[in-house]
Every structure is written in C-alpha cells, then in structure tokens.
Amino acid sequence: MKKLTVMIAALAATALAANAQEPGPKPEIRPFVGMYVPTGDQRDLFENAAMYGVQAALEFRPNFHMLGTFGWVPGQTKYAAASDQVWILQYDVGFEADLVQPLGESWLFKPFVGLGGGARTYRY
C-alpha cells in the first residue's frame, strides 16, 4: 500500500511539474451508458440491467488524466423484502495514462492504463 501511495504521488507531481509551463488543467465530462452484468455470488441475487453514469476528468497533459466516475443501475433482485427493485450506485476515483496515436486524419488510437479505487452502494 505504501508503494502504491508513493507511485500515485510521483505521477501527480510529474503531471503538475510538467503543467507549470502549460495552461491549467482542462476539464472533461464523459457521459456513458452500459450494462451491469453480475458475476459470481451476485449472479444469484441480481439480474442484468442497464447502467447510466458520468465521468469527470481533468486533463493535465494529453496523455495524463485524473478522473472521478459515478454510475447508477436501476436493478432487480430476487430477495428484497418490500419489492424487487434495487438501486446500485457505483463511484470511483483514479488516474489514467494513455498513448495518443493518430489513426488517419480524424481518428485517434488511445490505449490506456488506469489506477484507482471505488465503492458500491445498494439501496433497496
């Protein structure tokens, strides 16, 4: 855990030091829609459902972002007492580093690696 904290601090310091000569961080908003597909033990409790959410990011450099994500799943469960409806709220924060490669005139290829953590809340 200590090594992870040092690595995150070093990445952030590198991005901020490189940013000193450039304009400030550029904010981005990234809405998304996807699917929640439970696996393992949760597969017995929850049904597949749509997921809706938004991700906010600060672009320190074209290949380094700090992000925060919030997702909402209006799900179904077999075992809720009052009804079978459940809201699954998912949130996380992290860092993303990518490699930007032009792919033709109007496309970019951006493979990335990320590091972060999050939590999930179930509201019946």
Side-chain angles (χ1 to χ4, degrees):
M1 183 69 178
K2 196 173 192 181
K3 288 181 183 179
L4 178 64
T5 305
V6 170
M7 189 171 83
I8 290 172
L11 283 172
T14 301
L16 292 175
N19 194 30
Q21 297 147 355
E22 300 173 6
K26 185 170 74 172
E28 298 177 357
I29 300 291
R30 307 170 182 170
F32 67 87
V33 175
M35 284 297 293
Y36 170 73
V37 181
T39 60
D41 291 339
Q42 289 196 352
R43 187 72 188 151
D44 297 333
L45 299 173
F46 300 105
E47 303 288 331
N48 295 345
M51 174 185 269
Y52 309 96
V54 65
Q55 183 176 72
L58 285 176
E59 180 181 275
F60 291 102
R61 294 188 301 185
N63 60 347
F64 186 77
H65 297 82
M66 184 172 70
L67 341 145
T69 307
F70 174 78
W72 169 62
V73 177
Q76 299 288 322
T77 181
K78 301 175 189 176
Y79 302 110
S83 74
D84 63 348
Q85 186 73 29
V86 60
W87 280 13
I88 302 170
L89 306 172
Q90 183 171 302
Y91 24 87
D92 61 63
V93 295
F95 296 95
E96 176 182 280
D98 58 35
L99 176 65
V100 180
Q101 294 293 319
L103 194 62
E105 291 182 22
S106 61
W107 289 84
L108 294 174
F109 180 63
K110 295 177 78 170
F112 69 92
V113 66
L115 178 66
R120 188 177 288 161
T121 303
Y122 300 90
R123 301 202 59 197
Y124 294 93

